Amino acid sequence: MGIQKRLVGSYFAVILITVCILEIFLIASVNYYYYHNVERILVNQAEISASFFHQYFAEEELEKQSERLLNGFSQNTAAQVQIISSSGQLLQDSAGAQDGKNMIDYPDVQEACSGTVGIWKGREPSAHDTVLAVSYPLQAKDMTVGAVRFVTSLTDTMATIRYISAIFISVGLIVVAIVAVLGIFLSRTITGSITELKLAAEQMAEGDFTARAKKRYQDELGTLADTFNTMAAKIRRNEQLKNDFISSVSHEIRTPLTSIKGWVVTLKTEPKDGTAMLADGLEIIESETDRLTVLVDELLDLSKLDNGRIVLSRTPLHLADLLRHIGKQLAPRAARQSISLEVQADDTLPVIHADENRLKQVLINLLDNALKFTGPNGIIKVRAHSSQEQVVITVEDTGAGIAEEDIEHVLQKFYKGNTSAAGSGLGLSICYEIVKLHQGQLKIDSQAGQGTKVYIYLPRN
């Protein structure tokens, strides 16, 4: 069953149950109101009649005064009036019923003869009609000498109740119909957006990453459409980055392989005594092999990070010693490029628990980037300081910096800015993930032509 049918069915079921409950309550209230009013009127009339008898006729016999009483009681009422003896015998009847009829079988008459007010509703066989009867005891000298009985037909009352009930039911059906129509319309506003999202998702599943979902309303589904479109844009961008990465890696691999093969062919064809050329060739082959090794290592690290297979080997680490060691390792390269490399790390830095090899990988990668993009007479500074909760390592250079359009993406996998030198575009992404594994943060602050600052925040414990 589709969403639209479920929504309409749910709306219809809820409103139908609500309307039914309301109808039952209203019809029951109308029934009670009309029947109670009729009953109250008859009880009041019977009570007044019994009081009148007690005040003016209590000293006389009921049988002798029954006709006078009937005339007096029936003058101000449209109901049928009956005067009944204490034994249940009918003495007088305003409807002309035969005197002497035994009325003791009626429940209301039995109660009145026993001294209490009796009320009975039922079908009168003689009249073939549903009636309401109220019998009130007639008291004389603290004794029940008979009863006065008021009887009225309920035909008109029941017809009125049925008419009002029919109106209520008709209104209820109209309300249910309106709600059903509104439910269909409302469900279409929901399912329409969902259908468009589904179609866009199917297009993306077929490989069309230009597909976008139309945003109809400013609601949760509209927010979902925005999220979907943002996701589609990111997927398309990542797809483009992946394609660029494959092209870049292919080039990165082809270049050293071509160089290695060329020198191998050259060395094979050169005379045996070409010692100088042999040395140059082997040096280039070694250098190009190192380039291939770095690229393969980056790809392996990326695969391990994506699959969650990198496990840190945490040990107590003296950060100052690590930074000075890396500074010494890269000092010759900086000197060759006429770049000033400064390392400022106090021995007061706390000992942290970290994976030394992985942090070394991060710092060397950052410094390698700084050396690539910093020209002669430039300055690279590596500094570290600690606060109460964390240690902060800063790698700052006076190089080319990062363009504004690239700064938000340089930590993404495969991304290479327009000013990037040769490389896979994985280095910063891998650094970011390694720092993240240490429960730390890596942030970059840079402007084109004004150098770059990279901040590494690591917890102290």
Side-chain angles (χ1 to χ4, degrees):
M1 182 183 293
I3 294 177
Q4 183 174 357
K5 290 183 178 179
R6 292 205 303 271
L7 284 174
V8 174
S10 299
Y11 295 148
F12 186 79
V14 170
I15 197 63
L16 185 61
I17 292 172
T18 304
V19 169
C20 287
I21 293 173
L22 188 60
E23 295 280 357
I24 292 171
F25 173 77
L26 290 175
I27 292 173
S29 298
V30 169
N31 268 279
Y32 174 80
Y33 173 79
Y34 276 94
Y35 286 130
H36 180 72
N37 272 355
V38 173
E39 179 183 312
R40 181 173 52 81
I41 291 171
L42 293 183
V43 169
N44 287 341
Q45 290 176 344
E47 184 179 5
I48 292 171
S49 299
S51 177
F52 180 81
F53 170 81
H54 180 73
Q55 186 173 359
Y56 297 105
F57 295 94
E59 299 298 328
E60 302 180 19
E61 292 184 9
L62 179 62
E63 288 81 357
K64 294 180 180 180
Q65 303 297 328
S66 61
E67 186 175 354
R68 293 176 56 194
L69 290 173
L70 179 65
N71 293 332
F73 293 164
S74 61
Q75 283 182 356
N76 299 316
T77 181
Q80 177 184 358
V81 181
Q82 296 175 330
I83 307 298
I84 301 170
S85 68
S86 58
S87 61
Q89 183 180 0
L90 179 63
L91 300 179
Q92 295 290 334
D93 189 336
S94 62
Q98 184 179 1
D99 297 344
K101 179 181 177 181
N102 193 347
M103 306 287 291
I104 200 64
D105 291 335
Y106 290 94
D108 58 305
V109 175
Q110 294 177 10
E111 293 180 21
C113 291
S114 63
T116 59
V117 180
I119 300 172
W120 172 74
K121 182 177 73 172
R123 189 167 184 79
E124 182 65 57
S126 60
H128 304 290
D129 195 8
T130 300
V131 299
L132 176 68
V134 174
S135 298
Y136 209 96
L138 299 176
Q139 302 283 338
K141 299 178 181 179
D142 297 328
M143 293 179 59
T144 301
V145 297
V148 58
R149 189 173 189 242
F150 284 78
V151 183
T152 186
S153 172
L154 293 177
T155 300
D156 293 340
T157 302
M158 292 172 66
T160 302
I161 292 173
R162 283 194 295 269
Y163 176 73
I164 295 174
S165 298
I167 292 176
F168 285 159
I169 292 172
S170 300
V171 171
L173 292 175
I174 293 172
V175 170
V176 170
I178 292 173
V179 170
V181 173
L182 290 176
I184 293 172
F185 173 76
L186 179 60
S187 66
R188 285 180 178 175
T189 64
I190 297 173
T191 56
S193 298
I194 294 175
T195 301
E196 290 182 356
L197 281 169
K198 175 177 173 288
L199 292 175
E202 288 175 347
Q203 287 179 305
M204 287 188 63
E206 294 295 328
D208 181 8
F209 298 120
T210 62
R212 296 294 183 269
K214 183 179 178 181
K215 182 177 181 180
R216 290 190 173 190
Y217 307 103
Q218 297 290 340
D219 56 7
E220 288 80 358
L221 287 174
T223 303
L224 181 59
D226 288 338
T227 304
F228 179 89
N229 292 336
T230 302
M231 179 190 69
K234 288 184 177 180
I235 290 176
R236 186 181 181 187
R237 182 181 183 83
N238 289 338
E239 185 71 12
Q240 183 62 42
L241 287 174
K242 183 195 73 173
N243 294 335
D244 293 344
F245 167 74
I246 292 172
S247 176
S248 175
V249 168
S250 299
H251 176 74
E252 292 295 325
I253 293 175
R254 187 184 300 112
T255 301
L257 287 177
T258 301
S259 180
I260 291 170
K261 184 176 180 180
W263 273 101
V264 169
V265 172
T266 300
L267 293 176
K268 287 175 67 176
T269 59
E270 286 297 321
K272 301 292 183 181
D273 57 352
T275 306
M277 183 173 289
L278 177 62
D280 291 340
L282 291 176
E283 183 178 348
I284 293 174
I285 290 173
E286 181 183 13
S287 174
E288 296 301 319
T289 304
D290 289 341
R291 284 180 61 189
L292 285 174
T293 302
V294 170
L295 180 59
V296 171
D297 286 343
E298 285 183 345
L299 292 172
L300 289 174
D301 284 341
L302 176 66
S303 176
K304 289 178 181 178
L305 285 168
D306 283 344
N307 295 323
R309 291 189 288 112
I310 283 187
V311 179
L312 299 180
S313 178
R314 295 176 181 266
T315 57
L317 176 62
H318 294 272
L319 197 55
D321 294 342
L322 176 63
L323 294 177
R324 283 193 287 266
H325 174 75
I326 294 174
K328 290 178 182 178
Q329 181 178 340
L330 296 177
R333 177 180 172 185
R336 287 196 304 270
Q337 297 179 216
S338 301
I339 297 173
S340 174
L341 176 59
E342 303 175 8
V343 177
Q344 300 175 6
D346 296 335
D347 290 330
T348 57
L349 286 173
V351 175
I352 63 174
H353 284 77
D355 188 320
E356 181 176 357
N357 290 329
R358 289 297 179 182
L359 280 187
K360 186 176 180 181
Q361 177 184 352
V362 170
L363 292 168
I364 289 177
N365 190 293
L366 295 177
L367 287 170
D368 180 67
N369 285 342
L371 289 166
K372 284 180 183 177
F373 297 105
T374 302
N377 302 318
I379 300 173
I380 299 175
K381 295 180 181 180
V382 180
R383 290 175 291 187
H385 69 276
S386 64
S387 63
Q388 189 173 1
E389 297 181 352
Q390 60 188 1
V391 175
V392 183
I393 303 172
T394 306
V395 178
E396 180 180 0
D397 65 61
T398 58
I402 303 173
E404 184 178 354
E405 62 270 18
D406 294 330
I407 192 70
E408 295 182 0
H409 308 293
V410 291
L411 295 178
Q412 294 179 5
K413 300 168 188 174
F414 316 134
Y415 187 82
K416 294 177 65 177
N418 295 328
T419 59
S420 294
S424 64
L426 296 175
L428 284 177
S429 175
I430 292 173
C431 291
Y432 175 78
E433 295 296 337
I434 290 174
V435 173
K436 194 173 173 183
L437 284 175
H438 282 85
Q439 286 79 50
Q441 290 181 300
L442 188 148
K443 295 183 179 179
I444 298 177
D445 182 13
S446 181
Q447 291 184 3
Q450 299 185 20
T452 302
K453 283 184 180 180
V454 181
Y455 301 91
I456 300 174
Y457 301 91
L458 297 172
R460 293 184 56 149
N461 297 323

